[in-house]
Amino acid sequence: MAERQLKIFLLHGDEYVRRIVRANLELLSHHVELSTDSPAVMQRRCQENPPDVAIIGDKIQSSSVFDVLNSLSRENLCPIVALLQHSDFDRAHRLMEDNVMGVLVEPVNDSDLRTSIYLARRRFEQARRMKRQIDDLEQQLVASQHNTMENGS
């Protein structure tokens, strides 16, 4: 099954790693619209026009990779894949508190990226559906309580 071309934003502090990841994403026919080492640029661009997937790695300017991942995931704008080094993987439990949808450990290849992107996008859509269901149920509950109060008076 061929995937459509996705718009990808990539944040990583190591230019060499960004080039490798970008090349692998292009092998998958995805379009890397943003490749940066600046968390502020990533955050602003995600808010302005969210990508299909954001991939966020380490060695970034003046921030912890975990702080950036958790900040972006709280905004819930797009699926996010964390790109960690082996030494950071043991601390990955910090990502489970928010909506980070996938975790990869460097080095990565196109097959790793394909799988992680697919799963991140799927989990993101499932989370959005669940949020809509919760909102609908809350509205029904409020309406039901309102009707009960009107009928009881």
Side-chain angles (χ1 to χ4, degrees):
M1 176 175 87
E3 283 188 51
R4 70 176 179 87
Q5 183 182 30
L6 301 176
K7 176 175 71 170
I8 308 285
F9 287 1
L10 174 62
L11 170 67
H12 200 290
D14 185 324
E15 184 179 345
Y16 175 75
V17 173
R18 280 198 317 269
R19 282 187 293 176
I20 297 296
V21 172
R22 182 182 198 130
N24 278 288
L25 289 165
E26 289 171 353
L27 279 175
L28 298 171
S29 299
H30 297 316
H31 174 65
V32 179
E33 188 172 296
L34 174 67
S35 177
T36 185
D37 64 351
S38 169
V41 169
M42 173 66 87
Q43 188 105 19
R44 181 178 45 78
R45 291 286 306 275
C46 284
Q47 290 167 343
E48 292 171 353
N49 186 13
D52 294 311
V53 175
I55 299 174
I56 301 180
D58 67 349
K59 299 179 184 167
I60 49 183
Q61 303 172 0
S62 69
S63 296
S64 155
V65 66
F66 295 103
D67 293 341
V68 174
L69 285 162
N70 288 328
S71 173
L72 280 172
S73 70
R74 276 189 296 277
E75 293 183 36
N76 204 29
L77 301 170
C78 62
I80 300 171
V81 174
L83 182 56
L84 304 177
Q85 294 191 8
H86 286 281
S87 59
D88 287 329
F89 189 71
D90 291 336
R91 298 184 300 153
H93 68 279
R94 293 173 58 184
L95 302 174
M96 299 308 137
E97 297 173 10
D98 289 304
N99 295 322
V100 173
M101 300 292 166
V103 177
L104 287 171
V105 177
E106 292 182 37
V108 298
N109 59 38
D110 60 322
S111 180
D112 296 334
L113 286 164
R114 173 183 283 126
T115 301
S116 187
I117 288 169
Y118 171 80
L119 292 173
R121 293 184 75 226
R122 184 170 171 98
R123 286 191 62 211
F124 184 75
E125 286 308 315
Q126 288 171 338
R128 280 202 160 166
R129 266 194 313 276
M130 192 177 317
K131 172 81 171 93
R132 283 191 301 267
Q133 289 173 341
I134 290 168
D135 291 346
D136 289 346
L137 289 171
E138 286 175 343
Q139 288 176 357
Q140 290 173 15
L141 181 60
V142 167
S144 175
Q145 289 172 340
H146 180 71
N147 288 339
T148 300
M149 290 173 70
E150 281 182 352
N151 293 335
S153 36

